Amino acid sequence: MNDPTEHSQDGRGPFGALREHWPEYLCEAAELGLFMISAGLFTILLHHPGSPVLNFIPSEFVRRMLTGIAMGSTAIMLVFSPLGKRSGAHFNPAVTLTFWRLGKVKNWDAMFYIIAQFIGAIAGVFAVTLFVREPLSHPTVNYAATLPGMQGVIVAFIAEFVIAFVLMSVVLRVSNTPHIARYTGLFAGALVATYITLESPLSGMSMNPARTFGSAFVGHIWVGLWIYFTAPVLAMQFAAAVYLRGKGTVYCAKYHHYNRHRCIFNCRFPELLERERATKPVTGSVDACGMKPQKSILPGSTPTATTTASAQ
């Protein structure tokens, strides 16, 4: 069983957390910063009227689908990058708060993760303005802002709630299921691509308070901001409650844990590995993913020289 009170067991204080876990906080900022750079550049490429792409692809739906594929691929690459493997690849305050609620993230880590995510989002949009400010500010690009669609704020709120609920439900189910947990990032990225293609006309497709705030802050675009600060957070919390009600187990807060990076969370990932090994026998000395079985690094531990040399 999960203990939602685990996150309170954090006696290090803010300075202790910052001193020990600053690399993970920096990774979170960098991940969302890179995501926002990608969002800005691909939105300019696929939607700015001066882009040559519009001559070849006049269809708004097709260009939206290509935007979805680009951003879904960006999310996947970030999850499986060294940055994502180290921090857990949340780059979303709503995700961090959900795992905090589930007892996987300690108090100070949650706070610093969220601060880093907001800083990263703002820095990412600012970085794009340094090179292509005029195209980024064009009304068709609009700083890659997420805004309510023509159907209004209520529809946008409902749409954000639904997509965030589905995303977190899928993440919790996949990341805690033996043999498919390693593919959590692929599932999440596929949903991002699908949502941008089909749902973005309703709400702009955010699911992420920091992502929306980054564009809003730089572009001074505050329309419907409350939607993106409430709907994703409430939806993901609801998804977590539903998952727990079904007696689901949450092993860790990382999207991808099959690597040699340390884990700073209240981690039970070794239990998931044991379940995998118990349900799928290995042949010889090679495990199911083609690697020699090795002990997982426990939270807070330091890899040995041998382990580091074999890092992914």
Side-chain angles (χ1 to χ4, degrees):
M1 295 293 291
N2 296 290
D3 180 9
T5 65
E6 278 185 306
H7 54 67
S8 64
Q9 301 169 8
D10 185 1
R12 296 164 301 160
F15 297 107
L18 191 60
R19 182 175 61 255
E20 295 175 17
H21 297 160
W22 66 266
E24 282 75 12
Y25 307 153
L26 188 60
C27 287
E28 282 294 302
E31 288 154 26
L32 194 47
L34 290 170
F35 186 87
M36 294 309 297
I37 290 173
S38 179
L41 294 178
F42 277 112
T43 303
I44 292 171
L45 176 66
L46 293 168
H47 299 279
H48 190 278
S51 171
V53 172
L54 272 68
N55 295 325
F56 299 101
I57 310 175
S59 170
E60 173 68 22
F61 175 81
V62 174
R63 284 185 281 115
R64 197 166 64 240
M65 180 180 65
L66 292 175
T67 304
I69 293 172
M71 297 315 302
S73 300
T74 299
I76 291 171
M77 287 188 288
L78 289 172
V79 170
F80 290 97
S81 71
L83 296 172
K85 290 178 180 179
R86 173 120 192 192
S87 74
H90 294 185
F91 51 95
N92 184 340
V95 171
T96 298
L97 285 172
T98 301
F99 282 116
W100 173 80
R101 154 72 177 83
L102 290 168
K104 297 291 103 179
V105 182
K106 298 180 179 68
N107 292 337
W108 292 116
D109 288 332
M111 187 190 78
F112 284 122
Y113 259 49
I114 292 170
I115 291 173
Q117 290 155 1
F118 275 92
I119 292 173
I122 295 171
V125 181
F126 263 127
V128 180
T129 65
L130 293 177
F131 300 98
V132 285
R133 185 178 189 89
E134 185 176 348
L136 187 67
S137 63
H138 191 277
T140 59
V141 178
N142 209 19
Y143 295 91
T146 54
L147 301 170
M150 297 295 293
Q151 292 80 359
V153 295
I154 300 303
V155 170
F157 180 92
I158 295 172
E160 281 290 311
F161 189 95
V162 170
I163 61 176
F165 174 82
V166 173
L167 175 71
M168 181 50 65
S169 298
V170 170
V171 166
L172 289 173
R173 182 62 59 186
V174 174
S175 66
N176 295 292
T177 301
H179 307 301
I180 66 171
R182 69 186 71 240
Y183 305 119
T184 303
L186 298 179
F187 280 83
L191 284 175
V192 168
T194 302
Y195 290 163
I196 291 176
T197 303
L198 303 177
E199 189 278 338
S200 59
L202 302 179
S203 73
M205 210 305 282
S206 174
M207 299 188 294
N208 187 331
R211 179 259 179 273
T212 293
F213 187 81
S215 294
F217 182 85
V218 178
H220 304 288
I221 307 167
W222 308 107
V223 179
L225 188 66
W226 66 272
I227 296 171
Y228 309 99
F229 272 71
T230 56
V233 175
L234 293 174
M236 292 190 186
Q237 294 289 326
F238 183 51
V242 171
Y243 182 77
L244 289 180
R245 189 172 181 82
K247 301 187 184 302
T249 300
V250 181
Y251 292 101
C252 194
K254 280 193 172 187
Y255 272 50
H256 182 73
H257 217 310
Y258 294 81
N259 56 73
R260 295 299 165 189
H261 293 280
R262 72 174 181 176
C263 181
I264 66 173
F265 302 128
N266 295 318
C267 184
R268 295 170 54 192
F269 180 70
E271 296 178 32
L272 181 64
L273 282 181
E274 288 302 317
R275 285 185 60 194
E276 287 193 353
R277 290 164 182 160
T279 57
K280 188 171 183 179
V282 297
T283 303
S285 60
V286 180
D287 70 4
C289 62
M291 298 171 60
K292 291 184 179 180
Q294 298 177 16
K295 292 182 179 180
S296 295
I297 299 173
L298 297 176
S301 63
T302 302
T304 62
T306 303
T307 303
T308 302
S310 62
Q312 298 299 308

